[in-house]
Every structure is written in C-alpha cells, then in structure tokens.
Amino acid sequence: MQLHDVWFVIIAFLWTGYFFLEGFDFGIGVLTKLLARDRSERRVLINTVGPVWDGNEVWLLSAGGATFAAFPEWYATLFSGFYLPLLLILVCLIVRGVAFEYRVKRPEERWQRNWEHALFWTSLLPAVLWGVAFGNIVRGVKIDAGKEYVGTVLDLLNPYALLGGLVTLALFTFHGAVFAALKTVGDIRGRARRMAGVLGVVTAVLAVAFLAWTQVDKGNGASLGAMILAVVALVAALVANKFGREGWAFAFSGITIVAAVAMLFLTLFPNVMPSTLNESWSLTVTNASSSPYTLKIMTWCAGIAAPLVMLYQGWTYWVFRKRIGTQHLAEAH
C-alpha cells in the first residue's frame, strides 16, 4: 500500500470520527426544539454536550488539514467548487459555538431564546449540508481537464445529494436522541427513547434508499458489506432502544454512522472526486496527492500526535460520563 492510499484511509477515519461525534452533537441541537418542553429541559440537553462539543470539532479541523496537506488538488477543487455550501457550514459552526458560550451570559429571556433559536438552526443546516456535500463527492461533479469544478451551485442540488442530506439529518437526530436517553434522567429520558424509536424508523427508510442507490450506482463487494453492516446496526439500535438498553443503542447507532461513511469512501476509492464530464479527468489518490516526502513527514507527525489527542478526548468523555436531569441544574442567574 502506497502512502497516498494510507492517507486516504486516514482522512476517511477522521471524517468518520467527526460524523460519529458531531453527529449526536448536531442531533442534540435539533432536539432542543423537538424534544425539550421548556427552558430547563433545553438546558439539560445542551449540558449533555456542553463539555465535549468543541472537542468534537477538532476532528473536522484535522480532516480538513489532512486533506489540504495530503491531497492539495482535492482540497483546492473541493473548496472552490463547493464554496457557498461550505461557507454556510463554516458560518453555522461559528455562530453555533458563540451560541453555546453566550447563551447564558445575560439573564434576559429574549437573549437566551434567540441564542437557542440560533443553536437549533446552526445544528440543523450543517447536518443537511454535510450529506449534500458528500453525496456530490461520491456521485461525481463537473470537473474539467484542468481539475477545476465548472458546474454551478444548482448542480449540487441533485436528487441523490438531497436524499443524502435528508439521511444525515435523520441519522444525526436519531443518534442525538439515543445519546440524550443515555445521558439524562427523569421524564426527558423516557421521551428521548420514544422519539428515538420514531426517528429510527424514518432514518431506516431514508438510509436504505440512499445506500441502495449508492450500491447500485457505484458499489463493489466491500461497499456491499459495509451497507449490510450499517442496516443491521441500525436495526440493532432500534431493538436496543426499545428494550431500554441505551448504551447498546448508542453503540449500534454509532456503528451505523461508521459503516455508512465507510461505504461512501469504499465506493469512492481510488477516486477522491470523480468527474462526470470525463472519467479520465477525475481526481484520484495518485494525481491529487502531495509528494511522497511530504506524506512521509505527515505520517510520522500523525503517528505521534493522534494517539495523544484521542486519549485526552476519551478521558474527557469519561470525566463527564454521568447522567444529568433538571434537578442537577445550577440555579439560573
């Protein structure tokens, strides 16, 4: 295996970790409107991800940085061609971070309510847009012989990509509901489980349609195995949730995300951005990668730094592992 193949796998791993962690993070943001009945319950939901949301976004920074360094042609074409949707995601992530930090800086109800609205919309929009973006990456876009994207924003809003956006929104919200049931106590815990059951059925319908479409259009034997694993894990998550085994439900919903993202990358390889104009114009792990020397240095750096970051993040989740409820909230001021 060449180093550019190794870095394709590393980048796939980073995106998978991001969607696994930020998936329930986005889901909690959406559930602040769908699940919480009052401000206290919204505070509970927000507090379930309060200590970890910023750490989850490190995976996005790592994935983007690794793409820039290991596959500069992929990075350049992706960020120039998908400029508007990726800019919208960036703005949402900035506003979302501000909403987490500034929501409680003032006691006025209107101030807090506006930041809660912002938190909801800046969780929902990226959840959709990431699915649209990856749907287009897998499907292929209009790339010319000069490795430039020559399509328009409207070309990105095709049925396959839009279905991908609905799948990520439903899957992340389901993942968030399972996480909420795992991390809360009291009435909100039971309602989170019931909502997870409904969301899981919706997710299953959308995900099966999207993954089957992907398999028929671009799939291979490895992607078929990942698709089957994703479907089985989603069903297992629904069964575990029904019987109140919230830890298992969360584990299986996470496996669903991991298998689904793995399927997309398995259908993509050895391309990184297929061209719909001419197959020979596609960006691949070979023609889009950095020099072997650059990849060698990156591999040494990643081998040292990545385990330390993962250990620290795992320790953070361990420290904040306890369930919370409205009775654990500090008195509002």
Side-chain angles (χ1 to χ4, degrees):
M1 180 181 285
Q2 302 291 323
L3 277 179
H4 50 66
D5 298 329
V6 172
W7 273 97
F8 180 87
V9 174
I10 292 174
I11 290 172
F13 171 76
L14 292 172
W15 279 111
T16 302
Y18 174 67
F19 287 138
F20 176 89
L21 296 172
E22 193 82 326
F24 68 77
D25 207 330
F26 287 142
I28 290 294
V30 174
L31 290 170
T32 57
K33 294 293 185 185
L34 301 183
L35 179 62
R37 290 177 174 172
D38 53 34
R39 174 141 302 138
S40 294
E41 290 190 349
R42 281 192 289 275
R43 288 179 64 193
V44 169
L45 289 176
I46 292 171
N47 287 349
T48 61
V49 296
V52 297
W53 69 268
D54 47 355
N56 294 344
E57 292 187 356
V58 170
W59 290 76
L60 173 61
L61 298 176
S62 300
T67 304
F68 172 77
F71 299 99
E73 294 285 357
W74 183 11
Y75 182 93
T77 304
L78 175 64
F79 279 79
S80 61
F82 292 23
Y83 180 80
L84 287 178
L86 291 179
L87 177 62
L88 181 56
I89 290 174
L90 178 60
V91 171
C92 285
L93 294 180
I94 293 172
V95 174
R96 188 167 177 268
V98 174
F100 272 115
E101 297 298 332
Y102 274 66
R103 183 183 58 87
V104 294
K105 295 299 183 182
R106 289 172 57 179
E108 293 88 347
E109 181 178 350
R110 182 178 179 183
W111 170 273
Q112 296 189 7
R113 184 173 63 249
N114 287 340
W115 283 118
E116 287 165 1
H117 289 322
L119 182 61
F120 169 77
W121 288 108
T122 55
S123 297
L124 185 147
L125 288 175
V128 174
L129 290 173
W130 280 127
V132 173
F134 271 82
N136 278 291
I137 291 174
V138 172
R139 172 181 175 270
V141 292
K142 295 179 180 179
I143 299 175
D144 63 12
K147 300 179 182 177
E148 297 288 338
Y149 176 72
V150 294
T152 65
V153 174
L154 293 179
D155 291 327
L156 302 178
L157 303 178
N158 54 80
Y160 176 79
L162 291 175
L163 178 58
L166 292 177
V167 170
T168 49
L169 174 61
L171 183 55
F172 291 169
T173 309
F174 168 67
H175 195 41
V178 173
F179 181 76
L182 177 65
K183 287 288 292 179
T184 58
V185 295
D187 182 57
I188 192 172
R189 176 186 178 187
R191 284 188 282 113
R193 281 178 50 198
R194 291 192 292 273
M195 182 165 285
V198 176
L199 289 169
V201 173
V202 174
T203 301
V205 173
L206 293 172
V208 168
F210 178 73
L211 295 179
W213 190 345
T214 305
Q215 180 63 30
V216 170
D217 190 38
K218 301 278 188 178
N220 50 53
S223 65
L224 178 61
M227 173 185 168
I228 293 172
L229 176 59
V231 173
V232 171
L234 181 54
V235 173
L238 281 168
V239 173
N241 178 73
K242 181 177 178 60
F243 287 97
R245 303 301 297 271
E246 291 141 351
W248 284 106
F250 180 73
F252 283 124
S253 67
I255 292 172
T256 302
I257 293 177
V258 170
V261 176
M263 179 189 178
L264 296 183
F265 277 98
L266 286 168
T267 60
L268 190 60
F269 185 82
N271 295 321
V272 293
M273 283 191 76
S275 172
T276 57
L277 299 179
N278 188 322
E279 187 176 346
S280 64
W281 295 345
S282 298
L283 299 181
T284 69
V285 293
T286 303
N287 65 23
S289 69
S290 294
S291 67
Y293 183 69
T294 300
L295 296 178
K296 184 177 180 180
I297 294 176
M298 290 175 60
T299 303
W300 278 104
C301 293
I304 296 171
L308 297 177
V309 173
M310 293 175 67
L311 284 172
Y312 173 77
Q313 192 166 22
W315 175 79
T316 303
Y317 275 93
W318 174 256
V319 169
F320 294 101
R321 66 189 182 278
K322 300 292 186 179
R323 294 178 183 268
I324 62 173
T326 55
Q327 66 271 30
H328 299 118
L329 295 177
E331 183 178 353
H333 58 81

